[in-house]
């Protein structure tokens, strides 16, 4: 007997180690359940962290644009509407009004980390016989690359831009048969055309973006789109990415601009994340519930098997409370030990998955985010689950009539 | 000598308030002095175990009063009864003598552990001492399941004495043993009674064993029908 253990602990541990088969099987069951929960949680966190990072580092968190142009119904002086049917006007490419003022007021805000102007429009990229319609985005690389981590996604060449340079996506480069150093003829409606040199090729992990997105210096885009001195948007990153929508609404209320946060522009992404989180939560809860039922079932049987022992212990002067504790401890210990094995199994499964599941080129699918708190948290949760599951058997044991138990 | 145990009009009914309500004990009056070694005899179903369970505070009488060492237990709450039982009463049962998950020594330690909460050296020493006295010193680390019936019952006696109780209740302690082991177990109890002055109330069907007691009480159909004193008690008072 361990000197530092109390009566209830000694009895609980001995009862567990005596019923070796039962204890072994239920520990296996708990371990599998906890393993599944650990594996799923780590996967979910990894996937979501990875996706969120990608979304956050491949687009501004808030974009400020000129307000939509709207046509008003024509009214006479006496207020009678003359032409009530209003067609939505075409949205021209317009410069943001007073953008220098807007930019400096953005840079003055403490909840905004980076603010930088950009110009975007569409164009035609021509190389030899091939031509593709593209979007061009002109920006100031030093600031813009702090918002969109383009350098991280460069797979050939480098992310440095002169006034006659352009960065293109991998799919556009393939479509045009071009590579780093090749020249493209970029043509726009309003601004004519220019010959630009490909300085870098990027892969944003998204076919649409890899086909259409191109990046040039702010001046280059201004001249191509005939917007000398103007910008079409101001891009921002904020201190708290999840507060982006609040900040956007705040800006929209103060300034004559249209402020769009990433939370609104990626509504589908958030729905997907939410659905994923919810379904995984459901699965994990049900796994947890079945673990709890397993523990309860094993302990109920144990109470029946040990009812004479319980009677003897009661005759010796153990209170109902002490008997209750013996079985709650057993539940807790089962949960805790099971979660240790389960964490180990989940860890091994994660490691194996990380080694085996690879992209075609051998690179990792996405970085695994495995936090120690996950293991701590599942151990804690499993222990609590065990104690709760032990509640029914423990109450049953505590309520046992010693006379019946000893006679039976 | 002081009255250790006083039963005053103890009645016990089972299934109270149902159509099958039956009274098993019909008003038992009994006085036992400290240091007595008493045999309780009677035919099967007469209520011996019921009486023992009431005296042992495992069960409550339907009416009547039970005094242990001068204290009326009838009004005590369950927690107080449990504590009193742990400190003052030791049990030896006919079946299922020991807790099978534990060794002989651990079984003897158990009542002290229940009381003190944590094991310590004096408990172990006391357990070893008791096991030596019942002749099982060498068996102390043996699991209960690996012992013979007689050996288990000796350990059970050592365990019943672990808390140095005022009273030991034994319900057919030798009912499952062969004649030789039964005599051995009986003598052991008798020796503790003589050496320590512990009071014993022993249920037995064996007339030879009963004849070795101080006093024989007969219970028939829930009534005391006989009370014979065989020999006087002239012992030194109980050691503390
Ligand atoms: N829980 C109970 N419910 C109903 N009746 C009971 C209960 N316990 C005992 N009885 C009845 O009370 C009577 C006395 O039982 P008890 O066990 O005290 O007899 P006993 O003298 O110990 O018999 P034995 O020598 O067979 O052990 C019996 O008729 C028994 O059927
Ligand atoms: Mg009986």
């Amino acid at each position: 007997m361990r000197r530092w253990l109390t009566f209830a602990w000694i009895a609980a541990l001995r009862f567990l180690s005596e019923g070796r088969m039962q204890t072994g099987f239920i520990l296996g069951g708990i371990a599998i359940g906890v393993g599944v929960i650990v594996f799923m949680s780590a996967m979910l966190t990894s996937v979501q962290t990875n996706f969120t990072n990608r979304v956050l580092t491949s687009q501004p968190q808030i974009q400020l644009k000129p307000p939509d142009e709207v046509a008003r119904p024509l009214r006479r002086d006496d207020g009678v509407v003359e032409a009530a049917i209003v067609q939505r006007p075409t949205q021209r490419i317009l410069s943001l009004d007073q953008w220098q003022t807007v930019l400096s007021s953005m840079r003055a805000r403490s909840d905004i980390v980076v603010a930088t102007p950009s110009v975007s429009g569409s164009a035609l990229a021509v190389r030899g016989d091939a031509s593709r319609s593209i979007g061009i985005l002109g920006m100031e690389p030093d600031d813009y690359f702090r918002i969109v981590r383009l350098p991280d996604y460069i797979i050939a060449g480098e992310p440095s831009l002169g006034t006659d340079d352009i960065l293109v996506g991998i799919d556009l480069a393939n479509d045009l048969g071009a590579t780093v150093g090749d020249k493209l003829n970029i043509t726009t409606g309003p601004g004519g055309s220019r010959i630009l040199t490909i300085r870098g090729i990027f892969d944003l992990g998204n076919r649409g973006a890899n086909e259409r997105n191109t990046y040039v210096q702010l001046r280059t885009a201004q001249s191509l789109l005939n917007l000398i001195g103007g910008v079409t948007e101001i891009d921002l990153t904020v201190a708290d990415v999840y507060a982006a929508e609040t900040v956007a609404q705040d800006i929209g209320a103060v300034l004559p601009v249209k402020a769009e946060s990433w939370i609104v522009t990626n509504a589908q992404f958030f729905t997907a994340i939410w659905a994923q989180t919810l379904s995984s939560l459901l699965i994990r809860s049900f796994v947890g519930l079945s673990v709890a039922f397993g523990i309860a079932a094993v302990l109920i049987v144990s109470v029946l098997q040990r009812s004479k022992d319980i009677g003897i212990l009661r005759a010796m002067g153990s209170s109902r409370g002490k008997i209750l504790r013996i079985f709650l401890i057993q539940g807790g210990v089962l949960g805790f030990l099971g979660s240790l094995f389960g964490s180990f199994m989940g860890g091994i499964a994660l490691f194996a998955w990380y080694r085996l599941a690879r992209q075609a080129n051998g690179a990792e699918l996405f970085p695994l985010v495995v936090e120690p708190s996950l293991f701590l948290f599942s151990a804690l949760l499993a222990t609590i689950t065990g104690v709760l599951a032990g509640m029914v058997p423990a109450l049953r044991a505590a309520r046992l009539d010693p006379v019946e138990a000893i006679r039976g | 000598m002081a009255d250790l145990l006083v039963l005053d009009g103890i009645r016990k009914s089972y299934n109270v308030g149902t159509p099958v309500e039956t009274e098993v004990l019909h008003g038992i009056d009994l006085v036992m002095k400290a240091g007595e070694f008493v045999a309780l005899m009677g035919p099967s179903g007469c209520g011996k175990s019921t009486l023992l369970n009431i005296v042992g505070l495992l069960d409550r009488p339907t009416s009547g009063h039970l005094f242990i060492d001068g204290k009326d237990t009838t009004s005590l709450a369950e927690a107080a009864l449990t504590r009193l039982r742990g400190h003052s009463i030791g049990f030896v049962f006919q079946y299922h003598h020991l807790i099978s998950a534990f060794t002989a020594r651990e079984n003897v330690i158990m009542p002290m552990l229940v009381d003190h909460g944590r094991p310590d050296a004096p408990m172990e020493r006391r357990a070893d001492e008791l096991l030596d006295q019942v002749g099982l010193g060498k068996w102390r680390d043996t699991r209960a399941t690996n012992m013979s019936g007689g050996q288990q019952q000796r350990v059970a006696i050592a365990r019943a004495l672990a808390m140095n109780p005022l009273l030991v209740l034994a319900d057919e302690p030798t009912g499952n043993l062969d004649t030789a082991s039964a005599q051995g177990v009986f003598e052991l109890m008798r020796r503790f009674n003589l050496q320590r002055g512990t009071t014993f109330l022993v249920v037995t069907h064996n007339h030879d064993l009963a004849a070795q007691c101080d006093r024989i009480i007969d219970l028939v159909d829930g009534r005391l029908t006989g009370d014979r004193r065989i020999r006087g008690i002239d012992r030194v008072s109980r050691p503390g």
Side-chain angles (χ1 to χ4, degrees):
Chain A
M1 279 188 201
R2 304 274 183 286
R3 286 274 171 77
W4 42 273
L5 287 178
T6 60
F7 162 70
W9 276 92
I10 290 172
L13 295 182
R14 187 61 64 90
F15 285 172
L16 281 180
S17 64
E18 270 296 293
R20 225 165 276 145
M21 282 273 259
Q22 285 171 35
T23 307
F25 275 113
I26 191 61
L27 278 182
I30 302 167
I32 290 171
V34 173
V36 166
I37 291 177
V38 164
F39 184 79
M40 278 190 72
S41 307
M43 282 305 232
L44 188 74
T45 324
S46 302
V47 168
Q48 292 187 351
T49 310
N50 185 56
F51 280 4
T52 312
N53 274 344
R54 262 179 190 266
V55 167
L56 285 176
T57 58
S58 61
Q59 60 178 242
Q61 289 148 23
I62 300 179
Q63 285 191 314
L64 306 185
K65 293 178 175 175
D68 284 349
E69 290 187 274
V70 288
R72 273 185 293 273
L74 185 57
R75 283 169 200 269
R76 288 203 317 241
D77 286 346
D78 55 6
V80 174
V81 178
E82 279 192 343
I85 300 169
V86 178
Q87 207 177 22
R88 185 175 159 84
T90 55
Q91 302 292 317
R92 293 164 291 166
I93 296 184
L94 282 180
S95 177
L96 198 60
D97 226 15
Q98 305 271 337
W99 68 268
Q100 313 269 15
T101 327
V102 174
L103 183 64
S104 51
S105 78
M106 285 303 113
R107 286 184 170 154
R109 286 178 70 121
S110 61
D111 51 358
I112 284 167
V113 181
V114 183
T116 181
S118 63
V119 174
S120 67
S122 46
L124 199 65
V126 182
R127 182 165 185 268
D129 291 342
S131 68
R132 288 288 181 275
S133 81
I134 57 167
I136 58 172
L137 191 134
M139 39 80 205
E140 293 170 338
D142 287 348
D143 277 341
Y144 192 79
F145 287 171
R146 289 171 63 196
I147 296 180
V148 174
R149 303 275 155 74
L150 210 53
D152 292 353
Y153 301 113
I154 292 285
I155 55 169
E158 50 193 78
S160 65
L161 283 173
T163 46
D164 287 323
D165 295 334
I166 186 168
L167 303 176
V168 300
I170 173 77
D171 290 308
L172 179 63
N174 286 344
D175 287 350
L176 297 177
T179 166
V180 176
D182 289 347
K183 293 189 169 17
L184 298 182
N185 188 348
I186 307 294
T187 311
T188 63
S193 76
R194 279 178 77 161
I195 307 286
L196 301 179
T197 309
I198 299 177
R199 292 302 299 264
I201 296 175
F202 54 80
D203 178 4
L204 289 175
N206 168 327
R207 193 175 173 86
N210 286 343
E211 278 177 349
R212 275 194 59 85
N213 290 16
T214 65
Y215 298 89
V216 297
Q217 275 269 13
L218 187 64
R219 283 165 192 285
T220 315
Q222 282 173 334
S223 84
L224 271 170
L225 297 168
N226 201 14
L227 274 172
I228 302 295
V231 304
T232 55
E233 51 199 57
I234 289 175
D235 297 326
L236 311 171
T237 55
V238 289
D240 175 4
V241 293
Y242 295 102
E245 179 55 23
T246 331
V247 176
Q249 283 178 6
D250 185 37
I251 295 170
V254 185
L255 295 170
V257 294
K258 189 168 78 175
E260 285 177 343
S261 77
W262 73 291
I263 291 172
V264 170
T265 48
N266 293 279
Q268 283 200 356
F269 169 77
F270 275 96
T271 313
I273 291 253
W274 185 77
Q276 205 180 27
T277 309
L278 189 75
S279 65
S280 138
L281 188 72
L282 273 178
I283 295 175
R284 283 181 288 172
S285 315
F286 282 116
V287 170
L289 209 59
S290 75
V291 164
F293 278 125
I295 296 176
V298 162
L299 287 181
I300 289 265
V301 171
S302 166
V303 168
L304 293 180
Q305 286 173 334
R306 305 212 177 273
S307 62
K308 285 184 179 179
D309 292 342
I310 295 166
I312 301 252
L313 286 172
R314 296 273 285 123
M316 278 178 196
S318 337
S319 58
R320 289 181 195 277
K322 278 182 178 153
I323 302 292
L324 187 85
R325 234 173 294 156
I326 292 176
F327 284 89
L328 292 184
I329 289 174
Q330 290 188 60
V333 167
L334 284 177
F336 180 73
L337 283 185
S339 76
L340 289 193
F341 294 135
S343 295
F344 187 69
M345 281 167 53
I348 288 191
L350 284 170
F351 184 73
W353 183 88
Y354 185 71
R355 293 296 299 270
L356 295 178
R358 290 270 152 171
Q359 293 181 14
N361 62 4
E364 60 180 24
L365 278 185
F366 50 80
L368 270 186
V369 185
V370 182
E371 288 167 15
S373 64
L374 171 64
F375 296 105
L376 269 175
F377 188 67
S378 30
L380 187 73
L381 205 67
T383 311
I384 293 174
T385 306
V387 172
L388 290 182
M391 210 70 195
V392 173
L395 280 173
R396 210 188 150 126
R399 292 212 186 102
L400 220 77
D401 178 4
V403 175
E404 298 285 332
I406 292 164
R407 194 181 43 174
Chain B
M1 198 150 287
D3 295 342
L4 179 73
L5 194 64
V6 177
L7 279 70
D8 176 17
I10 296 285
R11 288 173 181 274
K12 177 69 185 178
S13 301
Y14 284 113
N15 304 317
V16 175
T18 69
V20 290
E21 174 170 343
T22 36
E23 190 171 84
V24 178
L25 297 177
H26 313 288
I28 306 283
D29 299 310
L30 176 69
V31 176
M32 273 176 66
K33 300 217 173 289
E36 274 189 313
F37 196 104
V38 181
L40 178 61
M41 302 193 74
S44 185
C46 68
K48 302 182 295 295
S49 298
T50 305
L51 184 62
L52 235 62
N53 288 335
I54 288 171
V55 172
L57 307 176
L58 287 172
D59 210 351
R60 284 177 190 270
T62 313
S63 68
H65 290 269
L66 170 70
F67 299 84
I68 293 180
D69 211 18
K71 189 187 216 173
D72 188 356
T73 62
T74 328
S75 54
L76 290 181
E78 165 149 346
L81 283 182
T82 303
R83 208 171 318 118
L84 187 61
R85 183 164 70 231
H87 287 180
S88 314
I89 297 169
F91 292 90
V92 181
F93 300 102
Q94 176 178 5
Y95 303 104
H96 191 79
H97 321 286
L98 302 177
I99 300 177
S100 56
F102 291 100
T103 63
R105 184 205 228 182
E106 289 167 339
N107 265 283
V108 179
I109 288 179
M110 205 49 60
M112 302 185 265
L113 187 60
V114 166
D115 186 51
H116 298 346
R118 271 173 224 271
D120 57 25
M123 280 184 203
E124 286 166 13
R125 238 177 288 128
R126 179 158 174 78
D128 291 346
E129 211 174 278
L130 281 163
L131 282 172
D132 282 338
Q133 288 173 21
V134 300
L136 290 174
K138 290 205 186 74
W139 296 76
R140 63 188 183 203
D141 292 322
T142 310
R143 282 291 167 97
T145 36
N146 298 335
M147 294 180 144
S148 71
Q151 286 175 325
Q152 290 196 31
Q153 210 56 315
R154 285 159 178 270
V155 176
I157 291 167
R159 182 182 65 191
L161 290 160
M163 291 293 288
N164 200 18
L166 299 169
L167 175 67
V168 171
L169 301 171
D171 196 350
E172 298 188 52
T174 60
N176 261 358
L177 304 179
D178 60 81
T179 319
S181 316
Q183 181 63 35
V185 163
F186 188 85
E187 278 170 11
L188 201 59
M189 290 193 288
R190 190 61 163 145
R191 203 173 77 221
F192 279 116
N193 163 251
L194 294 172
Q195 282 173 358
R196 296 165 173 264
T198 310
T199 312
F200 277 78
L201 179 57
V202 182
V203 173
T204 181
H205 291 293
N206 186 324
H207 291 276
D208 294 339
L209 295 181
Q212 300 169 41
C213 298
D214 296 328
R215 183 179 168 194
I216 300 175
I217 294 169
D218 292 306
L219 188 67
V220 176
D221 286 341
R223 287 193 175 81
L224 288 186
T225 56
D227 189 348
R228 286 163 287 158
R229 181 163 296 284
I230 298 178
R231 56 178 71 80
I233 43 170
D234 46 29
R235 255 168 253 120
V236 289
S237 59
R238 253 172 74 82

